[in-house]
């Protein structure tokens, strides 16, 4: 909650609860994807789970990991929150 409350912008047009839920889901997806030994295996999992095209899932995979490369500390905080939340 502390992280979400610090980065939430009241003027963003999204409720705080929806913002927290989206943040949690993004962290959850990244934790799941990080458990795969390769990008290809993770993308194949996404294709199977979502029914989307391989290229679309590959782009989503890249998005998640590029997002979390920005700040490894933020990602580790989110991971700890998932384990304790």
């Amino acid at each position: 909650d502390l992280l979400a409350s610090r980065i939430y912008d009241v003027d963003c047009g999204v409720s705080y609860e929806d913002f927290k839920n989206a943040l949690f889901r993004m962290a959850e997806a990244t934790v799941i994807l990080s458990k795969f030994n390769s990008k290809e295996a993770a993308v194949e999992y996404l294709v199977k789970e979502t029914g989307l095209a391989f290229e679309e899932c590959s782009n989503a995979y890249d998005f998640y990991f590029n997002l979390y490369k920005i700040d490894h500390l933020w990602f580790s905080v989110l991971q700890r929150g998932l384990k304790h939340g």
Side-chain angles (χ1 to χ4, degrees), residues 40-53:
E40 185 173 308
V43 172
E44 287 174 6
Y45 166 81
L46 288 173
V47 169
K48 185 177 176 183
E49 289 295 310
T50 65
L52 297 172

Side-chain angles (χ1 to χ4, degrees), residues 3 7 23 26 30 61-78:
L3 175 64
I7 59 176
L23 190 62
M26 289 175 68
T30 304
Y61 176 93
D62 291 341
F63 171 80
Y64 278 111
F65 282 95
N66 287 332
L67 179 67
Y68 288 107
K69 280 182 192 174
I70 293 170
D71 188 346
H72 294 288
L73 177 60
W74 184 48
F75 179 59
S76 67
V77 167
L78 290 173

